[in-house]
Amino acid sequence: MDESAEERERGITMTVAVAYFNSKRHHVVLLDSPGHKDFVPNMIAGATQADAAILVIDASVGAFEAGFDNLKGQTREHARVLRGFGVEQVIVAINKMDIVGYSKERFDLIKQHVGSFLQSCRFKDSSLTWIPLSAMENQNLVAAPSDNRLSSWYAPVFLSELAFLVQIAGNLLSMLEIGHEMV
């Protein structure tokens, strides 16, 4: 959803972009919020409007660890900000699974670390949805994964989980996406 030439050139979201879509029963507002530390005020502006969130995590070795670092990582800060503004429903999209060979072990490791942290922020397990995906290879986004390395251990599809979240949230849902990359 990055609209400006500078955002596309730098490969990061800098401002909160807005898009809309309607389902048969719901009007959904998507807010694409920056994940980069230089644009935290913009991320906060998006979080203040969100009813639910998609927290995008980079699964690649080194990138997850940097994003989850106690001192400099943004994942922890984003989670705290979301919870501070009352966001309870979160889809945790673990992206770039193709880079780690669709490793279930890598997914489980990230889920364990991030899940423990989210629990410490008072997110309920029942309010968290975990989705492994590869945006670049279009695996587990719109349709069930075609790559057997992922489909052999994971079945739900990102858009079906998003639709479920829209259904439980009510007629109007402001959905915030935070991360360093997404489709």
Side-chain angles (χ1 to χ4, degrees):
M1 289 181 31
D2 294 335
E3 294 178 359
S4 76
E6 185 179 4
E7 285 181 320
R8 288 190 302 274
E9 183 179 302
R10 291 178 64 180
I12 60 172
T13 302
M14 296 163 54
T15 62
V16 178
V18 181
Y20 308 90
F21 71 87
N22 292 306
S23 70
K24 290 181 181 179
R25 301 173 60 198
H26 301 90
H27 177 71
V28 179
V29 180
L30 290 173
L31 305 165
D32 182 14
S33 184
H36 193 276
K37 65 182 179 181
D38 291 344
F39 304 105
V40 170
N42 295 347
M43 178 270 174
I44 292 170
T48 64
Q49 303 172 61
D51 299 310
I54 303 168
L55 183 61
V56 182
I57 296 176
D58 186 332
S60 57
V61 175
F64 163 68
E65 290 75 11
F68 201 63
D69 180 86
N70 274 329
L71 301 174
K72 300 176 191 169
Q74 291 303 111
T75 303
R76 292 174 189 265
E77 182 175 10
H78 295 325
R80 286 186 193 108
V81 168
L82 290 171
R83 196 67 188 108
F85 283 107
V87 174
E88 295 180 9
Q89 297 288 327
V90 178
I91 294 175
V92 183
I94 302 177
N95 193 15
K96 298 188 180 181
M97 288 297 297
D98 55 304
I99 294 174
V100 295
Y102 297 100
S103 167
K104 182 178 184 328
E105 292 76 21
R106 181 69 174 167
F107 175 81
D108 289 342
L109 174 83
I110 292 169
K111 183 177 176 181
Q112 176 188 0
H113 288 289
V114 175
S116 293
F117 178 75
L118 293 176
Q119 285 176 338
S120 76
C121 293
R122 298 184 336 269
F123 283 98
K124 296 177 185 172
D125 284 339
S126 60
S127 299
L128 302 173
T129 303
W130 301 86
I131 307 284
L133 57 90
S134 169
M136 287 299 288
E137 293 188 358
N138 194 20
Q139 293 294 315
N140 210 28
L141 284 170
V142 178
S146 59
D147 192 306
N148 188 48
R149 295 175 295 171
L150 181 56
S151 64
S152 66
W153 60 269
Y154 194 85
V157 176
F158 177 76
L159 283 184
S160 66
E161 294 298 322
L162 179 59
F164 175 72
L165 188 58
V166 169
Q167 189 174 30
I168 64 173
N171 289 334
L172 175 63
L173 172 68
S174 295
M175 174 68 72
L176 177 71
E177 180 268 312
I178 307 169
H180 297 284
E181 81 300 310
M182 189 61 183
V183 197

